[in-house]
Amino acid sequence: MELRRKLCIVVAVFVTVVGLASGNFVFKVQHKFAGKAKKLEHFKSHDTRRHSRMLASVDFPLGGDSRVDSVGLYFTRIKLGTPPKEYHVQVDTGSDILWVNCAPCPKCPTKTNLNFRLSLFDVNASSTATKVGCEDDFCSFISQSDSCQPAVGCSYHIVYADESTSDGNFIRDKLTLEQVTGDLKTGPLGQDVVFGCGSDQSGQLGNSDSAVDGVMGFGQSNTSILSQLAASGDAKRVFSHCLDNVKGGGIFAVGVVDSPKVKTTPMVPNQMHYNVMLMGMDVGGAALDLPPSIVRNGGTIVDSGTTLAYFPKVLYDSLIETILARQPVKLHVVEETFQCFTFSKNVDEAFPPVNFEFEDSVKLTVYPHDYLFTLEDDLYCFGWQAGGLTTDERSEVILLGDLVLSNKLVVYDLENEVIGWADHNCSSTIKVKDGSGGDYSVGADNLSSAPPLLMTTKLLTFLLTLIAVAFTSLA
């Protein structure tokens, strides 16, 4: 299963991919709700769909950790095939394959409200496309070599808890990235990758108003684009993102970031998601009691695909109660879910920060302007939610989504099995390392105001950038 969700507060995101050996790559990413009025049902309904999918069994032969959500909040443009053709795909750090809708596909979506035209990949129109056979190593990665039918080739079938499905076959073809050859200079570079060619979609995948052409997964398995690039020696299994929920921009980069520096905490091993050990939590210095199972089982998930933040009911009640003890307000429930109140003063001056402490004394601070959002003038709502989320073993889970991760550079280092972060202005720049010892500045942007992808050539290891942030799925 996979976790997913994307931030509904962020309007647009610019994803950057940086590489060592081959170069740096930049993806420009758009937020799903860019330019649209915020509605509370958008926040909760998206997370609810993603949660059900993440927690349900998935009939997908990827070792149990290939979960995909049908609706992403962030998307980017990529080019596939020869000659290259553009496709809009959601950037998903929780799933493990790249797949796009392919022709013919009578049940694939035909329109979207995301201001671009949907496209179907045509295997026959690409001179470099080849079918992935049963004998291919990729097929063994998804544990399908025994059941694979030679006449059909290596195929996939995904079933979600909401009964949405995706079916298709795997194809090997060129993924074209724009390589950064200097400051603000780019050139195309093609990489051979294996991706899913979807021929039959149902449920939300088939009729979503916010449909995209597919999903680009940056999960931990051998089938993800990141792992494929790493296996070929073109990339390291390191990526980072920086989401700005104030101006609506951001950066998502794969590779070694030189600055800002981040402090890291170990990832919990042998997990399908990005789990970390939460050791303590306080509200402006007032400690909260964590459920023992959370600490014992490493049940805290970092998921940039999730919009809000979800806690066990007892911890949620304690969190809200402690915040209100510092700043009393009269709460009322909006849309049967959100705790809201009227307030006319500066929330950062009146409300306390919430601090999370992780293993190795790594601290993450969430400020009032992050955990409170406005619906209209002087009307605020808490982004904290009572989740009721559990694992397959029924252990309680804390899910930290974009509400917690915004306005920070977050680094996922799969090679060293650590996750780190640092407060950062996500509308500014970060610096990525050059293999020769230098570094390049990479900045945020908006998909609609610049070319689809960017890349760079002077690094010793190939880095790839995406978001997701539109970080997608206990949904």
Side-chain angles (χ1 to χ4, degrees), residues 305-329:
T306 296
T307 302
L308 305 171
Y310 296 80
F311 301 91
K313 182 64 164 58
V314 173
L315 181 57
Y316 167 81
D317 289 341
S318 177
L319 172 62
I320 297 298
E321 179 182 346
T322 307
I323 292 175
L324 296 184
R326 291 282 301 272
Q327 178 56 63
V329 292

PDB file of all heavy atoms in Angstrom, residues 305-329:
ATOM      1  N   GLY A 305       2.012  13.962   0.179  1.00  0.00           N
ATOM      2  CA  GLY A 305       0.807  13.859  -0.622  1.00  0.00           C
ATOM      3  C   GLY A 305      -0.453  14.117   0.178  1.00  0.00           C
ATOM      4  O   GLY A 305      -1.521  14.263  -0.379  1.00  0.00           O
ATOM      5  N   THR A 306      -0.344  14.167   1.493  1.00  0.00           N
ATOM      6  CA  THR A 306      -1.494  14.415   2.345  1.00  0.00           C
ATOM      7  C   THR A 306      -1.634  15.909   2.607  1.00  0.00           C
ATOM      8  O   THR A 306      -0.651  16.600   2.793  1.00  0.00           O
ATOM      9  CB  THR A 306      -1.339  13.672   3.680  1.00  0.00           C
ATOM     10  OG1 THR A 306      -1.336  12.276   3.428  1.00  0.00           O
ATOM     11  CG2 THR A 306      -2.458  14.006   4.639  1.00  0.00           C
ATOM     12  N   THR A 307      -2.854  16.385   2.627  1.00  0.00           N
ATOM     13  CA  THR A 307      -3.091  17.806   2.798  1.00  0.00           C
ATOM     14  C   THR A 307      -2.919  18.259   4.243  1.00  0.00           C
ATOM     15  O   THR A 307      -2.212  19.229   4.513  1.00  0.00           O
ATOM     16  CB  THR A 307      -4.527  18.163   2.345  1.00  0.00           C
ATOM     17  OG1 THR A 307      -4.686  17.763   0.992  1.00  0.00           O
ATOM     18  CG2 THR A 307      -4.774  19.655   2.485  1.00  0.00           C
ATOM     19  N   LEU A 308      -3.550  17.560   5.165  1.00  0.00           N
ATOM     20  CA  LEU A 308      -3.619  18.001   6.557  1.00  0.00           C
ATOM     21  C   LEU A 308      -2.705  17.150   7.431  1.00  0.00           C
ATOM     22  O   LEU A 308      -1.748  16.561   6.945  1.00  0.00           O
ATOM     23  CB  LEU A 308      -5.071  17.946   7.030  1.00  0.00           C
ATOM     24  CG  LEU A 308      -6.055  18.735   6.143  1.00  0.00           C
ATOM     25  CD1 LEU A 308      -7.499  18.457   6.551  1.00  0.00           C
ATOM     26  CD2 LEU A 308      -5.767  20.232   6.187  1.00  0.00           C
ATOM     27  N   ALA A 309      -2.970  17.112   8.741  1.00  0.00           N
ATOM     28  CA  ALA A 309      -2.215  16.284   9.677  1.00  0.00           C
ATOM     29  C   ALA A 309      -3.220  15.546  10.552  1.00  0.00           C
ATOM     30  O   ALA A 309      -4.174  16.147  11.056  1.00  0.00           O
ATOM     31  CB  ALA A 309      -1.279  17.131  10.529  1.00  0.00           C
ATOM     32  N   TYR A 310      -2.995  14.246  10.747  1.00  0.00           N
ATOM     33  CA  TYR A 310      -3.969  13.383  11.401  1.00  0.00           C
ATOM     34  C   TYR A 310      -3.350  12.700  12.619  1.00  0.00           C
ATOM     35  O   TYR A 310      -2.231  12.184  12.553  1.00  0.00           O
ATOM     36  CB  TYR A 310      -4.476  12.325  10.411  1.00  0.00           C
ATOM     37  CG  TYR A 310      -5.231  12.933   9.253  1.00  0.00           C
ATOM     38  CD1 TYR A 310      -4.548  13.494   8.179  1.00  0.00           C
ATOM     39  CD2 TYR A 310      -6.621  12.978   9.252  1.00  0.00           C
ATOM     40  CE1 TYR A 310      -5.237  14.083   7.120  1.00  0.00           C
ATOM     41  CE2 TYR A 310      -7.320  13.552   8.205  1.00  0.00           C
ATOM     42  CZ  TYR A 310      -6.620  14.107   7.140  1.00  0.00           C
ATOM     43  OH  TYR A 310      -7.310  14.690   6.095  1.00  0.00           O
ATOM     44  N   PHE A 311      -4.113  12.694  13.728  1.00  0.00           N
ATOM     45  CA  PHE A 311      -3.636  12.153  14.998  1.00  0.00           C
ATOM     46  C   PHE A 311      -4.672  11.194  15.586  1.00  0.00           C
ATOM     47  O   PHE A 311      -5.875  11.329  15.313  1.00  0.00           O
ATOM     48  CB  PHE A 311      -3.404  13.283  16.009  1.00  0.00           C
ATOM     49  CG  PHE A 311      -2.411  14.313  15.561  1.00  0.00           C
ATOM     50  CD1 PHE A 311      -2.826  15.437  14.855  1.00  0.00           C
ATOM     51  CD2 PHE A 311      -1.060  14.171  15.849  1.00  0.00           C
ATOM     52  CE1 PHE A 311      -1.912  16.391  14.446  1.00  0.00           C
ATOM     53  CE2 PHE A 311      -0.141  15.121  15.437  1.00  0.00           C
ATOM     54  CZ  PHE A 311      -0.568  16.236  14.737  1.00  0.00           C
ATOM     55  N   PRO A 312      -4.227  10.254  16.428  1.00  0.00           N
ATOM     56  CA  PRO A 312      -5.193   9.468  17.205  1.00  0.00           C
ATOM     57  C   PRO A 312      -6.086  10.405  18.015  1.00  0.00           C
ATOM     58  O   PRO A 312      -5.646  11.481  18.442  1.00  0.00           O
ATOM     59  CB  PRO A 312      -4.303   8.617  18.114  1.00  0.00           C
ATOM     60  CG  PRO A 312      -3.004   8.511  17.380  1.00  0.00           C
ATOM     61  CD  PRO A 312      -2.833   9.826  16.679  1.00  0.00           C
ATOM     62  N   LYS A 313      -7.330  10.021  18.236  1.00  0.00           N
ATOM     63  CA  LYS A 313      -8.328  10.908  18.853  1.00  0.00           C
ATOM     64  C   LYS A 313      -7.859  11.456  20.199  1.00  0.00           C
ATOM     65  O   LYS A 313      -8.027  12.665  20.468  1.00  0.00           O
ATOM     66  CB  LYS A 313      -9.641  10.132  19.051  1.00  0.00           C
ATOM     67  CG  LYS A 313     -10.784  10.944  19.639  1.00  0.00           C
ATOM     68  CD  LYS A 313     -11.220  12.073  18.717  1.00  0.00           C
ATOM     69  CE  LYS A 313     -12.584  12.639  19.086  1.00  0.00           C
ATOM     70  NZ  LYS A 313     -12.676  13.149  20.452  1.00  0.00           N
ATOM     71  N   VAL A 314      -7.271  10.638  21.050  1.00  0.00           N
ATOM     72  CA  VAL A 314      -6.842  11.113  22.370  1.00  0.00           C
ATOM     73  C   VAL A 314      -5.764  12.185  22.237  1.00  0.00           C
ATOM     74  O   VAL A 314      -5.801  13.208  22.938  1.00  0.00           O
ATOM     75  CB  VAL A 314      -6.316   9.931  23.220  1.00  0.00           C
ATOM     76  CG1 VAL A 314      -5.708  10.440  24.517  1.00  0.00           C
ATOM     77  CG2 VAL A 314      -7.447   8.945  23.514  1.00  0.00           C
ATOM     78  N   LEU A 315      -4.825  11.972  21.344  1.00  0.00           N
ATOM     79  CA  LEU A 315      -3.757  12.955  21.147  1.00  0.00           C
ATOM     80  C   LEU A 315      -4.297  14.224  20.513  1.00  0.00           C
ATOM     81  O   LEU A 315      -3.903  15.346  20.878  1.00  0.00           O
ATOM     82  CB  LEU A 315      -2.648  12.354  20.282  1.00  0.00           C
ATOM     83  CG  LEU A 315      -1.439  13.255  20.000  1.00  0.00           C
ATOM     84  CD1 LEU A 315      -0.788  13.733  21.293  1.00  0.00           C
ATOM     85  CD2 LEU A 315      -0.419  12.507  19.137  1.00  0.00           C
ATOM     86  N   TYR A 316      -5.221  14.090  19.572  1.00  0.00           N
ATOM     87  CA  TYR A 316      -5.842  15.250  18.939  1.00  0.00           C
ATOM     88  C   TYR A 316      -6.560  16.118  19.969  1.00  0.00           C
ATOM     89  O   TYR A 316      -6.405  17.349  19.988  1.00  0.00           O
ATOM     90  CB  TYR A 316      -6.817  14.789  17.864  1.00  0.00           C
ATOM     91  CG  TYR A 316      -7.737  15.882  17.360  1.00  0.00           C
ATOM     92  CD1 TYR A 316      -7.304  16.800  16.407  1.00  0.00           C
ATOM     93  CD2 TYR A 316      -9.040  15.999  17.855  1.00  0.00           C
ATOM     94  CE1 TYR A 316      -8.149  17.810  15.956  1.00  0.00           C
ATOM     95  CE2 TYR A 316      -9.889  16.996  17.410  1.00  0.00           C
ATOM     96  CZ  TYR A 316      -9.434  17.894  16.464  1.00  0.00           C
ATOM     97  OH  TYR A 316     -10.275  18.891  16.034  1.00  0.00           O
ATOM     98  N   ASP A 317      -7.357  15.488  20.833  1.00  0.00           N
ATOM     99  CA  ASP A 317      -8.090  16.241  21.852  1.00  0.00           C
ATOM    100  C   ASP A 317      -7.130  16.987  22.772  1.00  0.00           C
ATOM    101  O   ASP A 317      -7.364  18.157  23.127  1.00  0.00           O
ATOM    102  CB  ASP A 317      -8.971  15.301  22.667  1.00  0.00           C
ATOM    103  CG  ASP A 317     -10.149  14.771  21.877  1.00  0.00           C
ATOM    104  OD1 ASP A 317     -10.494  15.379  20.847  1.00  0.00           O
ATOM    105  OD2 ASP A 317     -10.725  13.740  22.287  1.00  0.00           O
ATOM    106  N   SER A 318      -6.051  16.325  23.159  1.00  0.00           N
ATOM    107  CA  SER A 318      -5.059  16.958  24.029  1.00  0.00           C
ATOM    108  C   SER A 318      -4.374  18.122  23.334  1.00  0.00           C
ATOM    109  O   SER A 318      -4.118  19.173  23.939  1.00  0.00           O
ATOM    110  CB  SER A 318      -4.024  15.917  24.467  1.00  0.00           C
ATOM    111  OG  SER A 318      -3.015  16.506  25.265  1.00  0.00           O
ATOM    112  N   LEU A 319      -4.079  17.966  22.053  1.00  0.00           N
ATOM    113  CA  LEU A 319      -3.441  19.026  21.268  1.00  0.00           C
ATOM    114  C   LEU A 319      -4.313  20.273  21.200  1.00  0.00           C
ATOM    115  O   LEU A 319      -3.860  21.391  21.490  1.00  0.00           O
ATOM    116  CB  LEU A 319      -3.140  18.499  19.862  1.00  0.00           C
ATOM    117  CG  LEU A 319      -2.635  19.497  18.822  1.00  0.00           C
ATOM    118  CD1 LEU A 319      -1.304  20.099  19.248  1.00  0.00           C
ATOM    119  CD2 LEU A 319      -2.509  18.815  17.457  1.00  0.00           C
ATOM    120  N   ILE A 320      -5.577  20.105  20.833  1.00  0.00           N
ATOM    121  CA  ILE A 320      -6.491  21.249  20.720  1.00  0.00           C
ATOM    122  C   ILE A 320      -6.713  21.899  22.083  1.00  0.00           C
ATOM    123  O   ILE A 320      -6.704  23.135  22.221  1.00  0.00           O
ATOM    124  CB  ILE A 320      -7.834  20.808  20.105  1.00  0.00           C
ATOM    125  CG1 ILE A 320      -7.634  20.277  18.677  1.00  0.00           C
ATOM    126  CG2 ILE A 320      -8.820  21.973  20.110  1.00  0.00           C
ATOM    127  CD1 ILE A 320      -7.087  21.297  17.704  1.00  0.00           C
ATOM    128  N   GLU A 321      -6.899  21.078  23.109  1.00  0.00           N
ATOM    129  CA  GLU A 321      -7.129  21.603  24.457  1.00  0.00           C
ATOM    130  C   GLU A 321      -5.945  22.440  24.940  1.00  0.00           C
ATOM    131  O   GLU A 321      -6.132  23.507  25.535  1.00  0.00           O
ATOM    132  CB  GLU A 321      -7.377  20.438  25.419  1.00  0.00           C
ATOM    133  CG  GLU A 321      -7.617  20.864  26.861  1.00  0.00           C
ATOM    134  CD  GLU A 321      -7.808  19.679  27.781  1.00  0.00           C
ATOM    135  OE1 GLU A 321      -8.025  18.547  27.282  1.00  0.00           O
ATOM    136  OE2 GLU A 321      -7.752  19.867  29.011  1.00  0.00           O
ATOM    137  N   THR A 322      -4.735  21.986  24.672  1.00  0.00           N
ATOM    138  CA  THR A 322      -3.544  22.708  25.128  1.00  0.00           C
ATOM    139  C   THR A 322      -3.349  24.002  24.361  1.00  0.00           C
ATOM    140  O   THR A 322      -2.937  25.017  24.922  1.00  0.00           O
ATOM    141  CB  THR A 322      -2.297  21.812  24.981  1.00  0.00           C
ATOM    142  OG1 THR A 322      -2.538  20.556  25.631  1.00  0.00           O
ATOM    143  CG2 THR A 322      -1.084  22.465  25.610  1.00  0.00           C
ATOM    144  N   ILE A 323      -3.651  23.997  23.072  1.00  0.00           N
ATOM    145  CA  ILE A 323      -3.570  25.236  22.283  1.00  0.00           C
ATOM    146  C   ILE A 323      -4.570  26.254  22.806  1.00  0.00           C
ATOM    147  O   ILE A 323      -4.252  27.438  22.996  1.00  0.00           O
ATOM    148  CB  ILE A 323      -3.824  24.945  20.790  1.00  0.00           C
ATOM    149  CG1 ILE A 323      -2.677  24.129  20.194  1.00  0.00           C
ATOM    150  CG2 ILE A 323      -3.990  26.259  20.011  1.00  0.00           C
ATOM    151  CD1 ILE A 323      -2.902  23.689  18.755  1.00  0.00           C
ATOM    152  N   LEU A 324      -5.799  25.811  23.073  1.00  0.00           N
ATOM    153  CA  LEU A 324      -6.841  26.729  23.529  1.00  0.00           C
ATOM    154  C   LEU A 324      -6.582  27.230  24.950  1.00  0.00           C
ATOM    155  O   LEU A 324      -7.079  28.299  25.328  1.00  0.00           O
ATOM    156  CB  LEU A 324      -8.206  26.054  23.449  1.00  0.00           C
ATOM    157  CG  LEU A 324      -8.687  25.669  22.044  1.00  0.00           C
ATOM    158  CD1 LEU A 324     -10.098  25.088  22.106  1.00  0.00           C
ATOM    159  CD2 LEU A 324      -8.652  26.881  21.111  1.00  0.00           C
ATOM    160  N   ALA A 325      -5.821  26.480  25.727  1.00  0.00           N
ATOM    161  CA  ALA A 325      -5.462  26.964  27.065  1.00  0.00           C
ATOM    162  C   ALA A 325      -4.559  28.182  26.967  1.00  0.00           C
ATOM    163  O   ALA A 325      -4.564  29.045  27.851  1.00  0.00           O
ATOM    164  CB  ALA A 325      -4.762  25.850  27.855  1.00  0.00           C
ATOM    165  N   ARG A 326      -3.764  28.243  25.895  1.00  0.00           N
ATOM    166  CA  ARG A 326      -2.886  29.392  25.674  1.00  0.00           C
ATOM    167  C   ARG A 326      -3.628  30.559  25.030  1.00  0.00           C
ATOM    168  O   ARG A 326      -3.313  31.723  25.286  1.00  0.00           O
ATOM    169  CB  ARG A 326      -1.715  28.973  24.780  1.00  0.00           C
ATOM    170  CG  ARG A 326      -0.735  28.008  25.448  1.00  0.00           C
ATOM    171  CD  ARG A 326       0.191  28.763  26.386  1.00  0.00           C
ATOM    172  NE  ARG A 326       0.941  29.788  25.683  1.00  0.00           N
ATOM    173  CZ  ARG A 326       2.111  29.561  25.077  1.00  0.00           C
ATOM    174  NH1 ARG A 326       2.661  28.356  25.123  1.00  0.00           N
ATOM    175  NH2 ARG A 326       2.726  30.537  24.452  1.00  0.00           N
ATOM    176  N   GLN A 327      -4.602  30.246  24.175  1.00  0.00           N
ATOM    177  CA  GLN A 327      -5.369  31.294  23.501  1.00  0.00           C
ATOM    178  C   GLN A 327      -6.827  30.839  23.394  1.00  0.00           C
ATOM    179  O   GLN A 327      -7.221  30.187  22.425  1.00  0.00           O
ATOM    180  CB  GLN A 327      -4.796  31.571  22.107  1.00  0.00           C
ATOM    181  CG  GLN A 327      -5.579  32.611  21.321  1.00  0.00           C
ATOM    182  CD  GLN A 327      -5.697  33.932  22.065  1.00  0.00           C
ATOM    183  OE1 GLN A 327      -4.713  34.595  22.336  1.00  0.00           O
ATOM    184  NE2 GLN A 327      -6.926  34.334  22.414  1.00  0.00           N
ATOM    185  N   PRO A 328      -7.644  31.177  24.393  1.00  0.00           N
ATOM    186  CA  PRO A 328      -9.045  30.754  24.369  1.00  0.00           C
ATOM    187  C   PRO A 328      -9.815  31.387  23.216  1.00  0.00           C
ATOM    188  O   PRO A 328      -9.712  32.600  22.966  1.00  0.00           O
ATOM    189  CB  PRO A 328      -9.590  31.241  25.718  1.00  0.00           C
ATOM    190  CG  PRO A 328      -8.375  31.421  26.581  1.00  0.00           C
ATOM    191  CD  PRO A 328      -7.291  31.879  25.646  1.00  0.00           C
ATOM    192  N   VAL A 329     -10.558  30.586  22.484  1.00  0.00           N
ATOM    193  CA  VAL A 329     -11.463  31.056  21.440  1.00  0.00           C
ATOM    194  C   VAL A 329     -12.701  30.159  21.478  1.00  0.00           C
ATOM    195  O   VAL A 329     -12.661  29.039  21.999  1.00  0.00           O
ATOM    196  CB  VAL A 329     -10.830  31.014  20.032  1.00  0.00           C
ATOM    197  CG1 VAL A 329      -9.713  32.038  19.898  1.00  0.00           C
ATOM    198  CG2 VAL A 329     -10.330  29.616  19.694  1.00  0.00           C
TER     199      VAL A 329
END
